[in-house]
Amino acid sequence: MSYAPTTGRAAPPPAPAAPPRTAWREGVDRVRAAATTEPGRLRIIGAVLAALVVAFGAVTAWQVSERQTAADAVAEHSQPLSADAAQVYRSLADADTTAASGFLAGGKEPAQVRQRYERDINTASKLLVRAAANTEGSASAREEIRKINQLLPAYTGLVESARANNRQGLPLGGAYLRYANDTMRDQLLPAAGRLYEAETARLGEDYGDAKAWPWVAIGTGVLALGALGWVQRRNYRRTNRVFNHGLLAATAASTVVLLWLVVGHAVARAELNDSDDHGAKSLRVLNEARIDSLRARADENLTLVARGAVTVDKDGSNKGKDAYEVSYGSRMADLVGDAGGGAKRPAAGSLLDQARGLADDGAGRDPVEAAATGVREWQVRHKAARSADDAGDYKKALEQVIGAKDSTGESFDVVDTQLAKALDHEQREFQRAADDGRGAFTAMAVGAGVLAAVGAASALLGIGRRLSEYR
């Protein structure tokens, strides 16, 4: 044991070594030391300003790119897929309608009717292939496509059996056609409807992403401009100099980016809203109207095919009535309302009334009004055909339904043609507005990045000018 030379006591243990300083700690200490001098404070201010301006540009480029991608998806992906899904539904419904029309013609089925049926089936098949190739990420859409592909051969097989029996004059053909129609109504069309809903929901999501305000970028821009304003005010109070050219240039660049971001997004949002209100929504209503007219026509044909063999079996006022006639009335009510054929305009809230209200010009309204007139004429002719059939004159009723002149089929063709014309117009209106909307984002992300880089460099140069005064 050692002793202190003067006291004879034991020597105290040596003090523990101080822990090594970390790089982070040394950096903090240097910043603190620098902040005690004006040049050090200016360097810190310059670094923070440059970082804020660069962050503003980066966040702006990121959020604008996301919205531009969503706007591109609206115009090039989700809306075309939604339109294809609607076309699948229309093609299937038209095939069912045409099959019934051909059956009513008996063994002398017109060639154009057969060709129309085959064209509908081929169109639906091709669109299903395209939808399957472009419906990535949507399990529900893929499942509906699988169901339709599985059921379509069964449906066409039943139709062919109906045609074969009908050509031979066998009453079994009517049963096969009703089975085919049940397959279409109970399985194929519901699956096609769910496919359309899935694709339309995706379109809505893309619209929402494209129109969402870039609040993070706007907030970062306001923060950067606030910091630039504070630094210039601080500079003025310390030097009495009103302008610092570097800081002024940084402020101008940041202001341009923020204004470009807000105004550009507002323009894009307005155009996308227009494409939705007067394009996508009009298309949805017109698609529903055209499908209802197709299904009403199929119901009308099947009323003559079934001859009262299919009745409503549920409780209610329609129990015991012809099921196809009841369904026809329901479709017509959806199209133009509950008013009879004497009404000149579609009832408020009906599909054709909605379509007319959504059309924003005469080119969109005129075909809808012509279709409504055609529906009213169709109702009058249908009533006459039903009166003839109820009186036992089947031949006259058949002529009034599928005849070449003054028949319900002629009225249906007018309605279908006018609705197709309205759909083509609204599709063009959608495309124009959607292209204008996504065009407002053009070069914004790149421009924001370039201007942010210029702003950050200008801020550093402005601070550097002040630092040079201390040398």
Side-chain angles (χ1 to χ4, degrees):
M1 180 178 294
S2 61
Y3 294 91
T6 56
T7 64
R9 296 180 181 177
R21 289 163 57 81
T22 63
W24 168 257
R25 183 67 182 174
E26 288 183 1
V28 170
D29 289 343
R30 288 175 183 172
V31 169
R32 285 178 177 172
T36 60
T37 65
E38 181 61 13
R41 285 191 288 270
L42 287 173
R43 289 188 182 93
I44 294 171
I45 289 171
V48 171
L49 280 181
L52 276 174
V53 175
V54 169
F56 175 39
V59 172
T60 298
W62 160 55
Q63 292 208 294
V64 166
S65 295
E66 282 192 336
R67 281 145 186 78
Q68 186 170 19
T69 299
D72 289 341
V74 165
E76 298 177 358
H77 191 73
S78 52
Q79 196 281 330
L81 281 177
S82 177
D84 283 352
Q87 181 60 34
V88 168
Y89 197 118
R90 287 198 306 268
S91 296
L92 292 175
D94 191 64
D96 197 46
T97 301
T98 307
S101 297
F103 186 90
L104 285 175
K108 299 180 180 180
E109 180 182 10
Q112 64 269 24
V113 173
R114 181 63 182 173
Q115 290 168 2
R116 179 170 175 168
Y117 167 79
E118 292 176 345
R119 184 169 61 250
D120 285 332
I121 296 298
N122 289 334
T123 298
S125 300
K126 289 178 181 178
L127 290 175
L128 286 169
V129 171
R130 188 160 71 187
N134 292 280
T135 313
E136 68 281 352
S138 177
S140 60
R142 289 197 302 271
E143 177 61 18
E144 301 308 333
I145 292 170
R146 185 194 65 78
K147 286 180 182 177
I148 297 171
N149 281 326
Q150 187 178 39
L151 290 167
L152 195 55
Y155 169 80
T156 56
L158 288 168
V159 170
E160 293 308 312
S161 296
R163 292 181 69 245
N165 281 275
N166 194 38
R167 284 196 302 268
Q168 300 176 54
L170 300 176
L172 190 59
Y176 273 115
L177 189 65
R178 291 196 300 274
Y179 294 151
N181 179 259
D182 288 343
T183 301
M184 178 63 74
R185 288 170 180 258
D186 298 339
Q187 299 182 69
L188 274 167
L189 289 181
R194 290 190 293 270
L195 174 62
Y196 176 64
E197 289 170 3
E199 298 298 354
T200 302
R202 182 194 300 191
L203 173 61
E205 291 173 1
D206 287 337
Y207 261 122
D209 291 342
K211 294 189 293 185
W213 280 101
W215 292 116
V216 176
I218 292 173
T220 307
V222 170
L223 181 62
L225 283 174
L228 284 164
W230 175 81
V231 171
Q232 289 175 88
R233 182 172 180 274
R234 179 181 184 275
N235 187 41
Y236 169 73
R237 293 181 66 182
R238 289 175 178 267
T239 65
N240 282 330
R241 293 172 185 168
V242 178
F243 297 118
N244 177 296
H245 294 128
L247 294 177
L248 194 62
T251 302
S254 299
T255 302
V256 169
V257 173
L258 185 59
L259 288 174
W260 191 0
L261 173 65
V262 173
V263 175
H265 187 79
V267 171
R269 185 183 173 91
E271 292 293 344
L272 288 171
N273 278 330
D274 185 54
S275 74
D276 190 16
D277 293 338
H278 299 292
K281 288 179 181 176
S282 291
L283 289 170
R284 285 195 288 272
V285 172
L286 287 168
N287 277 321
E288 290 179 28
R290 196 175 182 195
I291 288 165
D292 269 347
S293 70
L294 286 166
R295 296 186 68 177
R297 178 60 177 167
D299 288 329
E300 185 176 53
N301 290 335
L302 286 163
T303 300
L304 292 178
V305 172
R307 306 294 300 274
V310 181
T311 59
V312 178
D313 59 359
K314 295 180 180 179
D315 293 336
S317 59
N318 291 321
K319 185 175 182 180
K321 294 183 180 179
D322 185 285
Y324 298 118
E325 180 64 16
V326 170
S327 181
Y328 165 86
S330 175
R331 302 297 171 192
M332 284 296 179
D334 288 342
L335 277 171
V336 293
D338 293 327
K344 293 183 178 181
R345 288 184 177 273
S350 63
L351 289 173
L352 292 184
D353 178 67
Q354 293 178 49
R356 186 183 184 281
L358 287 169
D360 59 348
D361 56 15
R365 282 190 297 272
D366 291 347
V368 174
E369 291 176 349
T373 301
V375 170
R376 292 308 191 192
E377 183 182 52
W378 182 1
Q379 289 178 304
V380 172
R381 293 177 177 180
H382 175 83
K383 186 176 180 180
R386 293 311 312 141
S387 295
D389 190 32
D390 291 340
D393 194 345
Y394 177 79
K395 184 177 180 181
K396 182 179 180 181
L398 185 63
E399 182 64 23
Q400 289 176 323
V401 170
I402 66 171
K405 185 174 177 59
D406 297 331
S407 66
T408 60
E410 187 180 41
S411 297
F412 163 73
D413 287 339
V414 169
V415 173
D416 193 60
T417 299
Q418 293 300 323
L419 289 177
K421 184 178 178 180
L423 277 164
D424 288 342
H425 173 74
E426 295 302 332
Q427 182 65 45
R428 291 192 296 271
E429 288 290 289
F430 163 81
Q431 199 64 52
R432 177 197 58 76
D435 287 342
D436 288 345
R438 61 178 178 156
F441 291 119
T442 301
M444 191 185 296
V446 175
V450 171
L451 286 172
V454 170
S458 299
L460 291 174
L461 287 173
I463 296 297
R465 181 72 177 270
R466 284 281 293 119
L467 281 170
S468 65
E469 298 172 0
Y470 289 90
R471 295 177 185 145

